[in-house]
Amino acid sequence: MDNKGLGKSGEQMLTCQYCDKQVKYKSHLIDHEKTHTGEREFMCDWKGCNFRSHRKFNVAQHKITHTEEKPFTCDHCNYRSAHKTHLRVHMRKHTNSKPYICDQCGFKTSYCNSLKDHKRNKHTDPALKCKLCKYVAYGEVDLRSHTCDESLCCGECGYRTQSRSHLIRHQEVHNTVPTPAPSVERRASPRPTSPNI
């Protein structure tokens, strides 16, 4: 099978046999295709650790978790990191750099997850928002599984959840079956936010 094609600038490109990704060099293609095959020939030699990867670099980065070494330091505060990329993200706090920009309204943020939250909360189809609370779904399946009615409150102790399976699991503690609570306070569940690094 011929896996060659032309890139955007006309150069010869190699295409992955498992997906449409194109790369310039054969070594990059071999490395990428290992993500599909599950081949992980490089392993951590730390005693008792089973970490394996298809890249030698990933194992070297992983080993730092065992030594707790943090060679990357911030020039502006006492922040230290084991990974250069973590320090780069941290530096945005000092430089006020906001590289993530909403393509719909121009909102700028320092963190990828903040942009995802913004898009979900500000630009999500109203059909994906709960009509009874502030819950915003990631997709139609997520919205269908969400419910904020009184059947999701433990009648024994008042535990509240928006997941029927979590309530059933919780009520095993009381050895009871789900019962509606006398009154329900409708409020959205807290959403995770981007960490302040």
Side-chain angles (χ1 to χ4, degrees):
M1 175 179 128
D2 184 20
N3 68 342
K4 292 186 179 179
L6 296 178
K8 290 179 184 173
S9 58
E11 73 270 10
Q12 199 70 13
M13 299 294 284
L14 300 169
T15 305
C16 173
Q17 63 180 321
Y18 303 102
C19 70
D20 294 330
K21 183 174 177 89
Q22 291 191 325
V23 295
K24 202 173 188 179
Y25 304 104
K26 186 172 183 173
S27 62
H28 292 178
L29 180 65
I30 291 168
D31 191 43
H32 167 75
E33 287 183 344
K34 288 177 184 176
T35 64
H36 294 290
T37 63
E39 183 181 338
R40 295 183 179 107
E41 74 247 47
F42 301 103
M43 62 186 95
C44 178
D45 56 5
W46 197 269
K47 186 177 180 181
C49 182
N50 297 322
F51 181 83
R52 298 175 68 93
S53 178
H54 66 286
R55 297 173 121 188
K56 195 174 195 175
F57 174 79
N58 291 355
V59 174
Q61 289 294 298
H62 160 79
K63 282 184 180 182
I64 294 173
T65 63
H66 295 299
T67 63
E68 297 183 17
E69 178 185 349
K70 294 183 178 181
F72 303 101
T73 59
C74 178
D75 295 335
H76 303 284
C77 69
N78 60 0
Y79 177 82
R80 298 176 62 84
S81 173
H83 305 285
K84 191 174 187 175
T85 55
H86 294 178
L87 176 62
R88 194 172 326 149
V89 170
H90 165 79
M91 290 303 291
R92 294 178 194 153
K93 178 191 268 186
H94 299 297
T95 62
N96 203 26
S97 170
K98 296 183 178 183
Y100 299 98
I101 303 169
C102 178
D103 57 357
Q104 296 176 27
C105 71
F107 168 79
K108 294 180 180 182
T109 181
S110 301
Y111 307 103
C112 179
N113 285 341
S114 295
L115 180 60
K116 287 178 187 175
D117 288 344
H118 162 80
K119 285 184 171 185
R120 186 178 63 247
N121 291 322
K122 301 293 182 190
H123 305 297
T124 302
D125 178 357
L128 296 179
K129 294 181 181 178
C130 178
K131 294 179 181 18
L132 301 173
C133 71
K134 294 179 181 178
Y135 181 77
V136 179
Y138 291 96
E140 289 180 27
V141 173
D142 190 28
L143 184 61
R144 281 195 302 267
S145 66
H146 163 75
T147 177
C148 55
D149 63 10
E150 57 199 40
S151 66
L152 296 179
C153 178
C154 176
E156 294 283 320
C157 68
Y159 168 81
R160 295 179 190 276
T161 181
Q162 293 185 337
S163 166
R164 195 172 306 283
S165 63
H166 289 178
L167 179 63
I168 291 169
R169 188 177 326 124
H170 163 78
Q171 289 188 320
E172 290 174 358
V173 172
H174 304 298
N175 291 323
T176 63
V177 292
T179 56
S183 66
V184 174
E185 182 183 318
R186 295 182 197 269
R187 56 189 158 118
S189 63
R191 285 282 185 213
T193 58
S194 298
N196 290 332
I197 298 175

